[in-house]
Amino acid sequence: MAVNFRNTVFYGIASDIKACPPQDMPEIVFSGKSNVGKSSLVNALSDNRKLARVSQTPGKTQAVVYFNVDRKLYIADLPGYGYAKTSKEKKEKFSKLAEDYFTCGRKIDLVLHLMDIRHNPSAEDVGMLEFLNNSGLNYFVVFTKCDKFSRQQLMKRLNELSKELNFSDDAVVFAVSSEKKTGLDDLRNAIEEHLFG
Ligand SMILES: Nc1nc2c(ncn2[C@@H]2O[C@H](COP(=O)(O)OP(=O)(O)O)[C@@H](O)[C@H]2O)c(=O)[nH]1
Ligand SMILES: [Mg+2]
């Protein structure tokens, strides 16, 4: 089934697990640190700059934001973790929402775990990958902001990271730039293939 990612619309927002919408289509979940580029990737995949709010302020997205893609699937953009500038209470509440999302019994068809290619993986990233490996959930690793590197640097960096993160041979890894719009077709095709192939 061909998915037209351009036909993506905002669907809703949930600041509580109980407020998450019913599931009548496959769902892919975007996870990763605040500021890693989740909203930018939603916009880039759908070729619509105005869809998801791109924030300069880490921690601003404090809810799960849903998008519907071509009436065929949902994207759930989770609140990011690892931001320091909000109050402790907020930080706990919002990271709990992201955490609970994976254990609340929701059917998750695919997780895209985003990491900034330039940064060393955080403890949360390592923990998340470990959780994903143990959970049996299907996931892709998506390295973001790859425009910051030359092609050669990128290959070197990907090698380093896959060693550091102990990627298995069957790990599914993408390198994208929402700014330069690279790697997006591969990712769109893989999502389509995974859900409907
Ligand atoms: N250079 C570069 N910057 C990016 C890219 N994607 C996102 N950013 C920047 O990273 C910041 C955070 O992006 P955002 O999408 O709001 O991240 P989120 O908090 O994970 O949703 C913004 O300033 C974006 O402009 C990219 O592909 N390349
Ligand atoms: Mg965001």
Side-chain angles (χ1 to χ4, degrees):
M1 180 159 56
V3 178
N4 178 8
F5 282 83
R6 286 204 165 150
N7 187 18
T8 299
V9 293
F10 172 76
Y11 182 72
I13 190 158
S15 50
D16 193 275
I17 281 289
K18 292 186 214 84
C20 295
Q23 298 189 280
D24 49 0
M25 285 171 219
E27 179 170 307
I28 60 177
V29 172
F30 283 28
S31 83
K33 241 179 165 162
S34 271
N35 230 33
V36 68
K38 295 184 299 296
S39 301
S40 300
L41 186 60
V42 172
N43 290 348
L45 286 173
S46 49
D47 198 19
N48 181 349
R49 281 176 177 276
K50 294 189 185 146
L51 201 55
R53 221 180 291 161
V54 173
S55 159
Q56 306 276 4
T57 317
K60 250 198 174 166
T61 315
Q62 297 164 344
V64 186
V65 184
Y66 291 90
F67 302 90
N68 184 269
V69 184
D70 204 22
R71 298 202 182 92
K72 293 183 176 108
L73 63 112
Y74 293 107
I75 292 175
D77 181 7
L78 290 192
Y81 49 72
Y83 44 90
K85 278 186 180 162
T86 66
S87 71
K88 189 163 182 259
E89 192 189 331
K90 274 189 182 167
K91 188 170 172 179
E92 280 172 2
K93 183 179 172 204
F94 299 136
S95 15
K96 194 171 181 314
L97 176 59
E99 218 167 87
D100 287 353
Y101 205 79
F102 295 99
T103 51
C104 69
R106 236 177 139 74
K107 184 174 178 292
I108 296 171
D109 294 273
L110 180 65
V111 178
L112 300 198
H113 185 66
L114 277 63
M115 287 183 277
D116 188 324
I117 187 99
R118 299 168 301 171
H119 298 165
N120 288 327
S122 67
E124 286 89 349
D125 287 324
V126 173
M128 183 64 194
L129 291 172
E130 200 177 279
F131 166 77
L132 288 169
N133 283 330
N134 294 330
S135 69
L137 287 165
N138 293 300
Y139 70 94
F140 297 166
V141 173
V142 180
F143 288 110
T144 61
K145 309 193 189 184
C146 294
D147 49 277
K148 299 288 185 188
F149 288 142
S150 73
R151 176 134 198 100
Q152 201 178 9
Q153 284 173 321
L154 182 63
M155 290 305 145
K156 188 165 163 265
R157 185 71 184 134
L158 283 171
N159 258 318
E160 273 167 24
L161 284 164
S162 55
K163 282 199 192 105
E164 191 177 327
L165 291 165
N166 274 319
F167 286 158
S168 64
D169 290 339
D170 54 2
V172 187
V173 181
F174 295 88
V176 303
S177 164
S178 298
E179 198 165 291
K180 293 269 150 58
K181 302 202 189 310
T182 53
L184 300 174
D185 273 336
D186 284 350
L187 182 55
R188 288 188 198 101
N189 290 339
I191 290 170
E192 203 176 297
E193 177 70 20
H194 179 80
L195 297 180
F196 305 112

